[in-house]
Amino acid sequence: MTRQSGSAISSAKRLAFVIALLTVLTGPADSKAQDQKPAKPSTGKQIAITFDELPAALSFGEVDANAITYMILEALRKHEITATGFVVGLNIDGQYDLLGDWLNEGHGLGTMTYSNQDIEGLSTDQFMQEIQSGQREIEEMLVGFGQKARYFRYPFLHYGTDPKTKTKIRDYLAGVGNVVAHASVVPDDFTYDLAMQKFGKVPDSAQYERLLNEYVNHVIDQIERSEDLAEQLVGRPVKQILRLRANRLNATYLDDMLTALEDEGYSFVTLGSALRDPVYAKQESYFGSRGVGYLDMLYVSKKKAGK
């Protein structure tokens, strides 16, 4: 499905700001970014926004965690969204101040494993140790900021291919009070981020706009697909959970993406609110080798059971 983003994607001023911020962090955001937008009628469609691999996802190119954090938080503030970010302990590299920025803005933090390794590359005991080590990296911060909930997200959304291992890890997480943070909408942002890296530090406006529209369309198409799955599974809309990586792509295009979601009639909810949707309490029996969204896991499980 092809759409044109409704935000000011052709603005030379905005493009110049993005380039400056992602390269040298020259100054604060344009004050116009704080302008109030008229409220749109509610359609009942709700979505939670989450980010993996904080403080910033590793990539093949240069990663500016400060710029990525600044731009993501700026966009979330503009749209009055409370998000949740999932921390990879190995990625912190002493940058606890960036995690503090998330908490100071009122967002939640959860953990992935310490090194973000796929569950299939580790033994059950090793994976549980990775969970512990990842949690330990930010536990003091969470206590200090008074965050009560403890969320865990599996690296690459891969819950395991062996039933015994999968059950043992699930029981372990429940035993230490960690809520598994499922995701229902999983765009291919890694591929689009690689495309952005090929632009270099100074993309021209045509490249910028073309990738923006392709990516925003892709995200919305993935949401629509998840809405269709929800209808087939439970016969109603569900609270969707969007999984994004904390990378340059999403930092650059987040404001436009959130505007597009608002134009589609979505309102934003917290991760905790979304996870209270009964659909995320349904048991799945997905043992595929590829991590997918939770509604996909339920759908495959249902087909496997012949229902």
Side-chain angles (χ1 to χ4, degrees):
M1 183 177 295
T2 302
R3 311 169 185 83
Q4 289 294 319
S5 173
S7 54
I9 61 174
S10 60
S11 169
K13 185 174 183 180
R14 174 174 170 76
L15 177 58
F17 168 66
V18 168
I19 294 169
L21 187 57
L22 286 173
T23 53
V24 295
L25 288 172
T26 55
D30 188 339
S31 62
K32 291 183 179 179
Q34 302 300 323
D35 289 347
Q36 294 290 328
K37 297 183 295 183
K40 294 182 174 65
S42 174
T43 62
K45 298 192 293 186
Q46 297 179 315
I47 191 166
I49 309 298
T50 67
F51 293 88
D52 281 7
E53 302 178 34
L54 265 60
L58 302 180
S59 73
F60 296 108
E62 182 180 349
V63 176
D64 189 335
N66 285 282
I68 288 170
T69 301
Y70 183 94
M71 291 190 72
I72 289 175
L73 294 181
E74 188 74 12
L76 293 173
R77 187 183 311 118
K78 176 180 176 181
H79 293 267
E80 300 180 345
I81 294 170
T82 300
T84 301
F86 292 89
V87 179
V88 173
L90 193 62
N91 289 9
I92 298 175
D93 194 25
Q95 300 174 102
Y96 288 96
D97 56 325
L98 298 182
L99 302 180
D101 289 342
W102 279 81
L103 292 168
N104 276 320
E105 292 279 345
H107 303 295
L109 289 182
T111 55
M112 304 181 78
T113 57
Y114 178 79
S115 64
N116 202 36
Q117 291 188 67
D118 191 293
I119 191 172
E120 291 304 302
L122 300 169
S123 69
T124 304
D125 288 342
Q126 287 174 327
F127 194 75
M128 290 191 295
Q129 182 58 52
E130 281 273 309
I131 295 171
Q132 291 178 12
S133 298
Q135 182 73 49
R136 193 179 302 122
E137 288 294 318
I138 67 167
E139 181 63 23
E140 187 174 340
M141 293 187 72
L142 297 184
V143 171
F145 277 86
Q147 180 178 312
K148 295 181 179 180
R150 297 294 183 268
Y151 294 113
F152 174 78
R153 176 163 284 167
Y154 285 85
F156 313 106
L157 296 178
H158 191 195
Y159 294 34
T161 57
D162 174 69
K164 184 177 179 181
T165 298
K166 187 173 180 178
T167 299
K168 188 174 181 179
I169 296 297
R170 184 181 62 205
D171 292 345
Y172 168 75
L173 288 167
V176 297
N178 276 357
V179 176
V180 176
H182 307 301
S184 62
V185 183
V186 189
D188 189 15
D189 55 359
F190 179 77
T191 300
Y192 286 91
D193 188 58
L194 287 177
M196 173 169 276
Q197 289 181 38
K198 294 178 182 178
F199 293 168
K201 291 186 176 181
V202 187
D204 62 43
S205 58
Q207 289 176 317
Y208 177 89
E209 294 179 26
R210 182 170 59 253
L211 185 63
L212 167 58
N213 280 295
E214 288 178 1
Y215 180 54
V216 171
N217 286 332
H218 169 68
V219 171
I220 293 177
D221 286 343
Q222 291 302 304
I223 294 173
E224 291 179 348
R225 177 181 174 277
S226 193
E227 297 282 15
D228 290 341
L229 279 175
E231 187 63 34
Q232 295 179 58
L233 287 166
V234 294
R236 62 172 176 84
V238 304
K239 294 182 180 180
Q240 301 288 345
I241 303 174
L242 175 61
R243 193 289 301 266
L244 303 170
R245 289 182 176 87
N247 57 22
R248 180 183 176 186
L249 173 84
N250 288 315
T252 305
Y253 291 154
L254 184 60
D255 182 19
D256 299 278
M257 182 197 303
L258 297 175
T259 298
L261 293 182
E262 290 168 343
D263 290 342
E264 292 286 324
Y266 281 91
S267 61
F268 302 103
V269 297
T270 64
L271 173 64
S273 173
L275 287 173
R276 286 193 289 273
D277 190 306
V279 73
Y280 298 110
K282 288 181 172 292
Q283 291 296 313
E284 48 76 27
S285 56
Y286 174 77
F287 300 106
S289 60
R290 184 172 66 93
V292 296
Y294 201 69
L295 299 185
D296 287 277
M297 295 168 72
L298 291 173
Y299 182 79
V300 172
S301 302
K302 182 179 179 180
K303 287 294 185 181
K304 183 179 179 181
K307 297 180 181 179

